[in-house]
Amino acid sequence: MSVGSLSGFPDGFVVGVSTASYQIEGAVREDGRGPSIWDTFAHTPGRVLNGDTGDDACDHYHRYADDLGLMAELGVDAYRFSIAWPRVQPEGSGEPNPGGLDFYDRLVDGLIERGITPLPTLFHWDLPQALEDQGGWLNRETAFRFGEYAALVADRLGDRVRRWITLNEPIVHMAQGYAFGTHAPGRQLMLDALPVAHHQLLGHGLAARAIKDRGAGEVMITNNCTPVEAASSSEEDQIAAVVYDAFHNRLFNDPVLKGTYPEFLAAGLEGIVQADDMTIIRANNDALGINYYNPTRVRAAEGDLPFETVPIEGVPTTAFGWPVVPDGLHALLTGLKATYGDDLPPIYITENGCSTAEGLDDQFRIDYLDGHLAAVRRAITDGVDVRGYFVWSLMDNFEWAEGYSQRFGLVHIDFKTFARTPRDSYRWLQSALRDR
Ligand code: IFM
């Protein structure tokens, strides 16, 4: 068992675990929570594998004290969780629901009592259904509602929470939720989904400003990033790779780090971007959250989109079939530094992990985490300012359209009894944390 994984990181490097509200909480009708787009989507036949829903998920809402205990035993420095907007504002606007805020208040207190730093994400895809009924993120007004919601949460938790994340993976929410329809809210607008990118980013800017106004130390967005490679040296494939990179990475990194959109996407956003929007988006980015899972190989295609992804051969794959390429994380981090230079703030890897078979022996996950931590360490040695790393995920959970079929947890969950059982990877990380 390798326990050297956490040696050689700078002092103060944060190691944590990550989860998200709809994926773990359950209790979807308790204490005044309103419906979210994921409740609606998951209850629509045919949308989620096996008809699974997040109604109960890991029952974390009732068992959060057990989960705090697991984190304390594990010895992590920080916990990244998300706040369910429909618990705080059941209709997505107006007065806060005290029952919802009370839950996160208890969670934050429990973390602090155990010496674990809370890192909340304000939006991890569970939009209040009432806002979706008014257009969701296609509607510019949603950005302003998000800013107001952020202010309510910061008013309640800001005395104890210093570091915040606004949005999780806006590219995935736009692409899967609004372009392809494989996630909630299930729209299939293809390129007409582009305004969703800008409205989420504007929401990020407004929320970041509200939280900073209430004394936050650090605010960041979490972007899902992938290093992109062309399938061949042909000009068409090279162009396809540039276009894919613009959609997946630069559409969300350029506005927060430079205050601009990639040129050809800016043309598609004409009439959507209003005066001052870019200034608001660019203003408060003290750090950048990065979720990394794998690189992407693309080639040119003819169809709605000018690219298509092709499999990366010759590397192990996770239970999900995702290629395992730790060097991709090093390439991503050094590439961000090369692209953004001094505009690049400190980075936190806010998610990295893999799905495995159900058993408790998960040497595959240990090797995955070990390899990716080594890649982060090399990137730091090469001059990238990475301040932290969060494993996705503390425990098995509701993996969106895949239901409960993909297990990402350091801790195994029995979804019938909700029993929590640490896997080998949990013990491995525990030893590594102890030996730091
Ligand atoms: O489970 C998701 C998470 O919600 C967002 N990032 C990727 C994870 C694995 O697919």
Side-chain angles (χ1 to χ4, degrees), residues 84-101:
W85 188 348
R87 282 198 198 283
V88 175
Q89 288 178 304
E91 299 285 313
S93 61
E95 289 302 305
N97 166 39
L101 280 172

Side-chain angles (χ1 to χ4, degrees), residues 20 23 124-125 168-169 224 291 293 320 322 351 392 397-400 408:
Q23 294 182 269
H124 198 125
W125 307 346
N168 177 70
E169 297 183 356
N224 179 300
N291 292 355
Y293 288 90
F320 225 143
W322 296 352
E351 285 182 26
W392 183 269
N397 57 51
F398 177 81
E399 178 55 28
W400 308 114
F408 278 87

